[in-house]
């Protein structure tokens, strides 16, 4: 998670929300480390998780990420939760919950829906305070001051 937090900090330089994701293989080898890049790339799908899954699949030479762990600083949204299920990621580790768009526990539980043919292990709340603090600081700097 510390690596994901470091990667998330890099997103701020491009005006992106500071979310970072890393993918580790079954032996703990780092396959990918990516920040959000929606603003940088002008791409609504350029969430850290999706970019990390793409990079990890390229590194492995296949789309199935069996045995891999996705570590992300913020609870995934529905798009990212669906992508990690489709990629067959074995384990999801995330930091802060996302009460506005979280699709792992906060609003929905996409990844553990019994109707799906694959369900990863989920470990939430890892370094959640640090992840949330980074997000709060980012958004505090992007909101209009009172009375403006």
């Amino acid at each position: 998670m510390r690596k994901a937090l470091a990667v998330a900090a890099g997103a701020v330089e491009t005006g992106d929300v500071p979310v970072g994701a890393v993918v580790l293989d079954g032996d703990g080898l780092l396959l990918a480390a990516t920040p959000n890049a929606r603003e940088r790339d002008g791409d609504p799908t350029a969430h850290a998780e999706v970019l990390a899954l793409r990079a990890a699949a390229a590194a492995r030479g296949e789309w199935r990420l069996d045995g891999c762990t996705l570590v992300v600083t913020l609870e995934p949204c529905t798009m990212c939760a669906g992508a990690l299920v489709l990629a067959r990621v074995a384990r999801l580790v995330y930091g802060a919950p996302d009460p506005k768009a979280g699709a792992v526990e906060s609003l929905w539980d996409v990844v553990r829906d019994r109707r799906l043919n694959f369900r990863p292990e989920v470990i939430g709340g890892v370094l959640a305070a640090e992840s949330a603090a980074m997000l709060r600081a980012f958004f505090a700097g992007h909101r209009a001051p009172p009375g403006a």
Side-chain angles (χ1 to χ4, degrees):
M1 184 60 76
R2 295 249 180 248
K3 175 69 174 173
L5 283 164
V7 169
V12 176
E13 298 169 12
T14 61
D16 279 289
V17 176
V19 176
V22 299
V23 177
L24 307 167
D25 72 8
D27 295 324
L29 176 70
L30 181 68
L31 296 176
T34 59
N36 265 354
R38 291 182 308 167
E39 297 296 330
R40 182 193 76 195
D41 296 353
D43 179 355
T45 68
H47 290 203
E49 301 96 307
V50 169
L51 298 175
L53 293 172
R54 288 177 185 161
R60 287 186 100 181
E62 64 177 321
W63 64 267
R64 287 179 188 87
L65 298 177
D66 299 325
C68 289
T69 299
L70 172 65
V71 180
V72 61
T73 58
L74 181 65
E75 178 184 359
C77 69
T78 53
M79 174 182 69
C80 296
L84 75 95
V85 167
L86 292 173
R88 308 296 193 266
V89 170
R91 183 176 304 102
L92 166 67
V93 177
Y94 73 89
D98 185 351
K100 293 183 180 179
V104 176
E105 294 180 307
S106 295
L107 294 179
W108 300 283
D109 192 352
V110 171
V111 299
R112 290 177 290 212
D113 189 313
R114 292 197 173 278
R115 294 169 291 183
L116 298 175
N117 65 346
F118 182 84
R119 291 177 294 283
E121 174 187 3
V122 175
I123 302 167
V126 177
L127 298 180
E130 290 91 332
S131 297
M134 186 180 294
L135 290 162
R136 275 193 304 276
F138 175 80
F139 285 113
H142 285 77
R143 291 193 175 102

